[in-house]
Amino acid sequence: MQVGETPMNGSSVGPEGGRASRRAFMAGLTAACTVPSTQASGQASGQTATPSTPSAERGRWYRTAGEQVADLANRRVSSVELLDQAIARIEGLDKSIKAVVVRDFDQARLAATAADQALARGERRPLLGLPMTVKESYNIAGLPTTWGFPAYRDFRPAEDAVVVERLKAAGAVIIGKTNVPVALADWQSTNPIYGTTNNPYDLERTPGGSSGGSAAALAAGYVALEAGSDIGGSLRTPAHYCGVFAHKPTYGIVPTRGQSFPGLPALPSAGDGLSVVGPMARSAGDIALALDVIAGPDEQRDGVGWRLVLPRPRHHALRDFRVLLLDSHPLGATAEAIRTTLEQLGDNLGKKGVTVARQSPLLPDLAEATRNYMRLLGPVLTQGRPPEFYEQMREIAARMGAGNQSLDAIYLRGANVGWRDWQAAANMRTRLQRQWATLFKQWDVVLCPAMPTVAFKHDHSDMSSRHLEVDGKSEPYTNHIIWAGLATGAQLPATVAPIGRTETGLPIGVQIIGPYLEDLTPIRFAQLLEQNFGGFVPPAL
């Protein structure tokens, strides 16, 4: 979710008004294999989109981006053929899933034809000829960018977002855009323009938000690669709900220009300190492949003076990793199914020789870290409003009491926070970052839930009346954000990987938090989980 609304360029939410090449190294990472899950499977509850497809047929829809790029380079398949397959899949299933809401098939066919011609000439690029989609919030020249607001139904940007530019330069064939909630402001993906996206594992449930259409498109086998964004779990939540992979990069390493509120100039910006854009895929190797394509400073800003060289993964063998595993948060409950699956993962890692601990005195105070994240989030997501909005927020916050430390109260106070209070929160972030850095001297990754529950049933009631239900207990809807805020608030990288399913077939993911700027370490760990314990498992479509 990208909570709230703001018109700030570079932020992931809003209301109205020369990178260093690592191709050789990344080539090794993209060889990740996808094997059947060793966790509980079963059929998803509720509806499924169509009768189950035979396993042999499923294989053609679920090849990784790396495998498809290799097939293209070796002339085993053409880009036009892959595009035709993707279009047929979308047209066959998307009436019930509703993930790809902006379609650019004609232009994609021209791009695929050009890619085939380039391949025939012997050209090789990281994504040459690969069909893919991107989140609706990314600008693509000539296509609508609405963020779900009817007022921007006719807005057509003149330029591509930086990420889209880089994907196209790498040879990707962009076939369309995927659904989002209004203002990117929910853990569901529904809006008045495009309607509701459904989870391919259970059409009665959310695929997550705000990159919910992205995750659904991956899980349904439409495409192998996607690009999303994240400020409150918008990459990680849909990945967890839909059983795919996603990576929230270290803050600032992927430019957000052009993933900005519709109608605003797409200006180079240092951003808001929280929002990021990043890749989604069905394999960890594809996450590494995509990150190598899109990461690096904006050529119109920091790229003038510096280049990005990410450290290599700390380890390549699973047994060499030192893992801290967390399954409880002091500010809210986490479902037993998720905690049990994480516990099983910890046990399985231990059997593989991995050093696993369940607690550490070096861990920052999770309650204070989450509250401080909300102190930083509130000012970002409530700016650009009319004066009466701020007065209303002031009155509501006053009624809740100055000593109220609930996440809702902190967020409401953030609408009127002054410079001194905001700077105090920024200083606290710096202290928390130092604590995380100290912890990562002893531990390589921190494993924790991506969300408190698995995908929940659609709830389009007024936001103020919603609740989060955890094992029959009602909690504030805002508590969806407790696990996402740890990495975002400290600007750390975090990868989500599928690790199991509930008895009814709903996916469960793990969030892998890594050290600052060491994005390749949690991605590598996700790849090793995939290889050793099973990765993506297709839904019964």
Side-chain angles (χ1 to χ4, degrees), residues 265-510:
L267 302 176
S269 167
D272 53 37
L274 298 173
S275 302
V276 300
V277 293
M280 305 179 75
R282 290 191 300 267
S283 78
D286 288 349
I287 293 290
L289 172 66
L291 185 66
D292 188 43
V293 168
I294 65 176
D298 189 336
E299 293 85 353
Q300 294 186 16
R301 187 179 165 89
D302 298 331
V304 173
W306 61 268
R307 298 292 180 266
L308 179 68
V309 181
L310 293 176
R312 292 176 178 271
R314 290 189 175 188
H315 310 290
H316 291 283
L318 187 62
R319 64 180 178 274
D320 294 332
F321 275 85
R322 302 164 298 169
V323 173
L324 178 62
L325 190 151
L326 311 174
D327 66 359
S328 298
H329 195 292
L331 296 186
T334 299
E336 183 63 28
I338 292 176
R339 297 179 64 186
T340 298
T341 303
L342 280 171
E343 184 65 24
Q344 291 172 347
L345 175 62
D347 291 344
N348 289 334
L349 289 171
K351 293 174 184 177
K352 293 284 187 178
V354 179
T355 299
V356 181
R358 269 75 174 182
Q359 57 186 1
S360 169
L362 301 177
L363 184 69
D365 184 317
L366 299 188
E368 182 53 36
T370 304
R371 290 187 178 113
N372 198 66
Y373 162 67
M374 291 301 284
R375 295 184 190 108
L376 294 165
L377 189 67
V380 171
L381 301 185
T382 57
Q383 60 182 303
R385 308 299 185 90
E388 55 269 23
F389 169 85
Y390 298 104
E391 187 57 37
Q392 181 184 31
M393 294 299 102
R394 193 190 314 277
E395 292 173 359
I396 297 173
R399 289 197 296 269
M400 297 181 76
N404 189 324
Q405 290 300 301
S406 69
L407 299 183
D408 285 333
I410 293 171
Y411 180 83
L412 288 168
R413 288 196 291 269
N416 288 284
V417 71
W419 168 253
R420 285 193 298 272
D421 289 339
W422 184 91
Q423 188 59 52
N427 290 341
M428 173 59 74
R429 171 168 56 193
T430 301
R431 290 192 290 272
L432 288 166
Q433 287 172 325
R434 175 50 56 187
Q435 291 178 34
W436 283 109
T438 300
L439 179 140
F440 282 120
K441 291 179 181 178
Q442 181 171 336
W443 305 102
D444 298 311
V445 293
V446 173
L447 305 186
C448 65
M451 289 291 281
T453 69
V454 296
F456 57 93
K457 289 193 174 183
H458 295 298
D459 180 2
H460 301 153
S461 61
D462 184 85
M463 189 82 74
S464 62
S465 67
R466 298 182 199 169
H467 290 85
L468 165 66
E469 185 173 309
V470 183
D471 294 336
K473 177 185 176 183
S474 180
E475 300 214 350
Y477 194 69
T478 311
N479 277 17
H480 276 107
I481 212 165
I482 57 175
W483 289 110
L486 299 179
T488 304
Q491 301 181 331
L492 299 174
T495 306
V496 167
I499 56 171
R501 290 193 286 172
T502 67
E503 292 180 356
T504 56
L506 297 176
I508 296 174
V510 61

Side-chain angles (χ1 to χ4, degrees), residues 109-357:
R109 192 169 303 282
L110 294 176
T113 300
D116 285 332
Q117 293 170 348
L119 287 161
R121 294 192 299 269
E123 289 187 28
R124 296 297 180 264
R125 283 177 266 161
L127 304 177
L128 186 55
L130 179 74
M132 65 174 293
T133 49
V134 300
K135 188 174 182 176
E136 199 268 359
S137 54
Y138 283 93
N139 286 348
I140 297 180
L143 296 183
T145 297
T146 69
W147 289 33
F149 285 104
Y152 294 99
R153 186 190 301 268
D154 297 324
F155 173 67
R156 302 289 193 278
E159 297 179 343
D160 292 342
V162 175
V163 165
V164 174
E165 287 179 351
R166 292 178 178 180
L167 291 168
K168 287 182 176 180
V173 175
I174 309 297
I175 65 177
K177 302 171 74 173
T178 46
N179 205 22
V180 297
V182 176
L184 318 187
D186 199 356
W187 293 285
Q188 304 177 81
S189 293
T190 186
N191 63 72
I193 302 175
Y194 302 121
T196 299
T197 300
N198 301 311
N199 191 313
Y201 291 87
D202 182 345
L203 299 183
E204 295 179 355
R205 296 178 185 267
T206 173
S210 59
S211 306
S214 303
L218 291 166
Y222 299 169
V223 292
L225 202 60
E226 250 280 354
S229 63
D230 192 310
I231 194 174
S234 283
L235 285 160
R236 293 163 286 167
T237 299
H240 162 66
Y241 285 173
C242 291
V244 299
F245 293 79
H247 182 69
K248 185 204 85 65
T250 295
Y251 179 79
I253 71 167
V254 182
T256 59
R257 176 165 55 88
Q259 208 269 153
S260 47
F261 190 78
L264 291 181
L267 302 176
S269 167
D272 53 37
L274 298 173
S275 302
V276 300
V277 293
M280 305 179 75
R282 290 191 300 267
S283 78
D286 288 349
I287 293 290
L289 172 66
L291 185 66
D292 188 43
V293 168
I294 65 176
D298 189 336
E299 293 85 353
Q300 294 186 16
R301 187 179 165 89
D302 298 331
V304 173
W306 61 268
R307 298 292 180 266
L308 179 68
V309 181
L310 293 176
R312 292 176 178 271
R314 290 189 175 188
H315 310 290
H316 291 283
L318 187 62
R319 64 180 178 274
D320 294 332
F321 275 85
R322 302 164 298 169
V323 173
L324 178 62
L325 190 151
L326 311 174
D327 66 359
S328 298
H329 195 292
L331 296 186
T334 299
E336 183 63 28
I338 292 176
R339 297 179 64 186
T340 298
T341 303
L342 280 171
E343 184 65 24
Q344 291 172 347
L345 175 62
D347 291 344
N348 289 334
L349 289 171
K351 293 174 184 177
K352 293 284 187 178
V354 179
T355 299
V356 181

